[in-house]
Amino acid sequence: MSAKVEEINGVKIDKILVSVFQRRFKSITQEMSIALTRTTRSPILCEAKDFVTGLYGARGKMLEQTENLPILSFSLGPVCEYIVRYFDGEIYPGDVIFHNDVFSMGNQNNDVAVYKPIFYQDKLVAWAACKGHQADIGGAVAGGYNPNATEVWQEALRIPPVKVYEKGKLRKDVWELIFANIRFDMVREDMKALIGSCTVGERRMLDLIDKYGLDVFEAHKEYLYRSTEKMMRAEIRDIPNGVYNGESTVYYDGHNVGSRYQIRVKITVEDEEITFDFSDTDPQTPGFVNGTFTSSASAVMLTFLQMVNPDIPHNDGMVRPVKMIIPEGTILNARYPAATTFGNHLCPATADAIIRALSQAVPERVTAGWNQLLCGLVTGQDKRKNLPYVDIVFLGMKGGSGGTYGYDGYDHIGMIDASGGVLDQDYEMFEQQAPHLLLKHEYLTDSAGAGLWRGGLGIETEIKINGEKMSCVTFGDGDVEPAFGLFGGKMGTLNKIEFRYPDGRVYTPLSKELVSGVQPGSVWFQQAGGGGGYGDPYLRSAEKVLKDVKNGVVSIEKAKTDYGVIIDPVTLEINLKSTTELRSMRRNGC
């Protein structure tokens, strides 16, 4: 009996060719990513890789992406669909469109996107796009983070969809208008690199369509969407039907010390569909600690994708069975003209709420809490080059991830929104690109939450900052509540930033603060906490605890108090009798 031959629009589907298309789409976005890494100038892009590259269908639906920074996983597609509607009937070969506007589906002001339509034989068939965090985007504060902001105009230059090239010709007036409002010349060069990345995507897509034909491309693209949707529906089907609730807290809005806001999610699983409903989340804040729909939707998707088959292709079919309700006016979807720069960094708190909810349904798929983000952005004058500079201190901003069923957390990979991205800077490049000297950067003993599977380690960093006319913005969380443990696991440790001035004074800024007049020669001290533990730490094997002690992960004191393992400080051997007695007493409730 012959297998049924499937057709779409009269084209016979070759399932092997479907796989070829999917892998080719992925390789194109990866090549775009490589091109962007090699041609950008800001360390935010060329080292930290705070960007995403992608391909989209003619109507803006996601074909494939390479998300170097996971929080950008849902950031390009919604804008592409918006641009298609915005320029309806006025999209031409050779157009290049810029966009960052958070009130037309953008995710963050600093994350500026480039879109390039791809035409085949005068027909719009696809889009190449990329988005990267720019070193400056205008506004009141260099670098783009303004904790004092209460409205969008105090944060950034808004760029709704605007053509900087039309029909292949540079619109010089538009180009100069944009960059006249941006402080650093490197941003101009980085945006050129983004355009080049899109050109690489355009060329490769045209080669692909030319090889197989447009009809074959369109039919197999649609089949890929349907196949991906089936994969995601199968993953959702494995989650027990039900309603699951989770909650997390966001601390300090940048204006009212001690303020806190709750993120609440109700997750409904019904057969092959899942809904994330944030209707009960607290209203937006008066400051910049607000999200946009797109930043919050990205947080939902990247968290959920950690709990499903990692081989699911990243295209529109992936999101079809997933519904998100994020009401306007909440802290996760602030109403115009609110300040929203902090929105990307609400991802960890959003993830915490989702993890707590789904831990009730799929306990073996979730992790314990990850370290929250707390970092800083330093701007000033580099007297070595007589040039202004900006540096986000990537080295110190991450801590540990949470432990999960069967595995310890990753060390120094905190910030669930940046796992797999925001890489550490190369030490030598760091000292060349900014007038700073790295004094210390090492794992922090006892920072990981104890558990049957422990959390990942946090770190401790010290940097002498030697610029002139320096100011610093701190932004983040995790200085009030550590990463949480799950199923008996213990919490991680807190985040902390200090300025240690040459005259001996020590200043501890708030988690969202603009610090002016930082003295040259000051030491930036930062502690990034560890991830939470998963499972009862008294069930962890004594041998693993001993190994952690020998490696400096756990102290002898914590081995005893957190794990019930007694180790001789001289011989570094386990006292089996005392350990057995201590653990037995714990089991008996003594």
Side-chain angles (χ1 to χ4, degrees):
M1 187 177 192
S2 60
K4 179 183 177 181
V5 177
E6 297 184 66
E7 292 187 4
I8 295 179
N9 297 328
V11 176
K12 293 181 179 179
I13 298 299
D14 181 339
K15 293 184 179 180
I16 294 177
L17 187 56
V18 173
S19 179
V20 170
F21 271 110
Q22 189 273 319
R23 292 173 184 273
R24 186 67 181 275
F25 294 153
K26 187 66 176 179
S27 70
I28 292 172
T29 64
Q30 289 172 335
E31 186 178 356
M32 293 170 65
S33 177
I34 293 169
L36 191 51
T37 303
R38 299 291 177 85
T39 54
T40 51
R41 299 189 180 186
S42 167
I44 300 169
L45 298 171
C46 65
E47 289 195 76
K49 300 179 73 174
D50 189 346
F51 64 81
V52 57
T53 56
L55 298 171
Y56 306 86
R59 304 304 301 173
K61 298 294 185 182
M62 190 192 318
L63 273 175
E64 187 55 80
Q65 295 182 155
T66 291
E67 305 100 349
N68 294 283
L69 193 73
I71 188 58
L72 299 176
S73 62
F74 199 65
S75 66
L76 282 171
V79 178
C80 196
E81 294 182 54
Y82 180 84
I83 287 173
V84 170
R85 296 191 301 270
Y86 186 87
F87 285 113
D88 186 31
E90 297 181 330
I91 300 170
Y92 311 109
D95 284 355
V96 175
I97 298 164
F98 282 4
H99 179 275
N100 83 333
D101 181 34
V102 297
F103 297 107
S104 55
M105 303 307 292
N107 63 297
Q108 188 192 52
N109 302 307
N110 279 74
D111 292 337
V112 185
V114 172
Y115 291 85
K116 200 171 196 303
I118 300 172
F119 283 79
Y120 183 77
Q121 297 177 353
D122 297 323
K123 181 179 180 180
L124 178 62
V125 296
W127 292 79
C130 53
K131 174 180 284 191
H133 187 107
Q134 300 306 312
D136 186 71
I137 194 61
V141 175
Y145 283 84
N146 181 8
N148 300 323
T150 58
E151 57 184 18
V152 64
W153 300 288
Q154 297 167 337
E155 296 185 292
L157 171 68
R158 287 179 65 194
I159 308 174
V162 61
K163 292 184 182 182
V164 293
Y165 280 82
E166 186 167 31
K167 298 180 181 179
K169 183 177 180 180
L170 174 67
R171 300 182 64 179
K172 186 177 179 181
D173 53 347
V174 175
W175 183 271
E176 294 300 332
L177 174 64
I178 291 172
F179 292 105
N181 286 280
I182 294 174
R183 293 172 176 83
F184 302 134
D185 289 340
M186 75 166 61
V187 177
R188 183 189 301 254
E189 304 307 317
D190 285 343
M191 291 306 296
K192 290 178 182 178
L194 265 69
I195 295 172
S197 174
C198 290
T199 301
V200 170
E202 177 189 35
R203 290 172 181 167
R204 298 297 180 261
M205 281 292 286
L206 290 175
D207 289 343
L208 182 63
I209 295 171
D210 201 46
K211 179 176 182 179
Y212 293 102
L214 183 58
D215 290 344
V216 172
F217 164 78
E218 293 288 358
H220 285 73
K221 175 192 73 176
E222 180 56 36
Y223 190 87
L224 176 60
Y225 283 158
R226 297 176 188 179
S227 299
T228 303
E229 181 180 355
K230 287 181 181 178
M231 292 177 70
M232 181 58 88
R233 288 186 179 277
E235 291 294 311
I236 297 171
R237 195 167 56 242
D238 284 344
I239 302 173
N241 280 352
V243 177
Y244 308 98
N245 293 284
E247 189 171 335
S248 64
T249 305
V250 178
Y251 294 94
Y252 184 44
D253 57 19
H255 288 262
N256 302 291
V257 175
S259 56
R260 57 178 61 191
Y261 298 81
Q262 299 305 121
I263 293 176
R264 302 180 183 91
V265 64
K266 180 175 73 174
I267 301 175
T268 302
V269 180
E270 189 172 359
D271 300 330
E272 297 179 350
E273 296 185 349
I274 187 168
T275 300
F276 297 84
D277 185 354
F278 292 89
S279 295
D280 291 333
T281 290
D282 281 355
Q284 67 192 63
T285 81
F288 83 144
V289 183
N290 293 304
T292 66
F293 177 87
T294 304
S295 67
S296 299
S298 285
V300 171
M301 287 307 303
L302 78 88
T303 307
F304 186 54
L305 285 175
Q306 294 190 7
M307 304 177 194
V308 298
N309 181 356
D311 295 326
I312 293 178
H314 289 192
N315 62 51
D316 185 64
M318 174 185 73
V319 300
R320 290 177 180 177
V322 181
K323 182 179 180 181
M324 288 175 267
I325 302 171
I326 311 173
E328 188 178 50
T330 63
I331 190 175
L332 295 180
N333 184 11
R335 184 176 288 111
Y336 173 86
T340 62
T341 298
F342 192 77
N344 277 1
H345 310 300
L346 290 174
C347 175
T350 303
D352 285 354
I354 293 170
I355 288 169
R356 286 180 169 124
L358 288 179
S359 67
Q360 305 161 43
V362 283
E364 294 185 5
R365 294 196 197 182
V366 300
T367 70
W370 293 46
N371 177 59
Q372 296 271 354
L373 165 78
L374 179 62
C375 67
L377 183 150
V378 181
T379 60
Q381 192 78 8
D382 187 343
K383 61 184 178 182
R384 303 171 304 175
K385 307 171 185 177
N386 196 29
L387 290 171
Y389 79 96
V390 57
D391 182 67
I392 297 179
V393 188
F394 298 117
L395 290 170
M397 72 196 306
K398 295 187 294 180
S401 75
T404 189
Y405 183 86
Y407 299 94
D408 293 339
Y410 284 102
D411 300 326
H412 188 35
I413 195 175
M415 298 165 55
I416 196 167
D417 54 317
S419 55
V422 185
L423 305 177
D424 267 357
Q425 291 163 280
D426 175 270
Y427 296 161
E428 283 73 25
M429 289 299 294
F430 165 70
E431 293 177 344
Q432 287 184 32
Q433 292 167 331
H436 298 166
L437 178 67
L438 182 63
L439 304 177
K440 181 180 182 181
H441 183 58
E442 59 187 45
Y443 289 130
L444 183 59
T445 300
D446 289 336
S447 56
L452 173 58
W453 296 287
R454 65 167 175 81
L457 278 173
I459 57 163
E460 193 170 69
T461 306
E462 293 181 8
I463 300 166
K464 181 174 283 189
I465 49 179
N466 292 312
E468 296 181 327
K469 301 177 182 178
M470 292 183 295
S471 63
C472 174
V473 177
T474 57
F475 54 96
D477 238 320
D479 60 333
V480 176
E481 180 184 356
F484 62 88
L486 271 182
F487 308 118
K490 292 183 176 293
M491 295 187 298
T493 47
L494 288 173
N495 293 330
K496 184 178 184 180
I497 289 176
E498 288 180 350
F499 291 100
R500 298 173 176 174
Y501 295 125
D503 61 8
R505 290 183 300 123
V506 176
Y507 181 69
T508 303
L510 298 170
S511 60
K512 292 98 179 172
E513 185 174 347
L514 175 60
V515 183
S516 301
V518 178
Q519 301 171 17
S522 298
V523 172
W524 169 290
F525 169 83
Q526 184 163 8
Q527 177 179 301
Y534 184 109
D536 185 351
Y538 270 53
L539 297 178
R540 187 174 178 87
S541 75
E543 289 73 21
K544 283 187 176 180
V545 177
L546 176 62
K547 182 178 179 181
D548 279 345
V549 168
K550 289 181 175 179
N551 287 333
V553 175
V554 177
S555 67
I556 289 176
E557 294 77 13
K558 284 288 187 179
K560 178 180 178 180
T561 58
D562 285 354
Y563 292 96
V565 177
I566 298 177
I567 298 171
D568 188 289
V570 177
T571 64
L572 290 182
E573 293 180 349
I574 299 170
N575 186 322
L576 292 176
K577 180 181 178 182
S578 297
T579 296
T580 302
E581 289 176 353
L582 180 57
R583 287 187 158 188
S584 178
M585 289 173 62
R586 157 72 184 277
R587 283 194 294 270
N588 294 328
C590 299

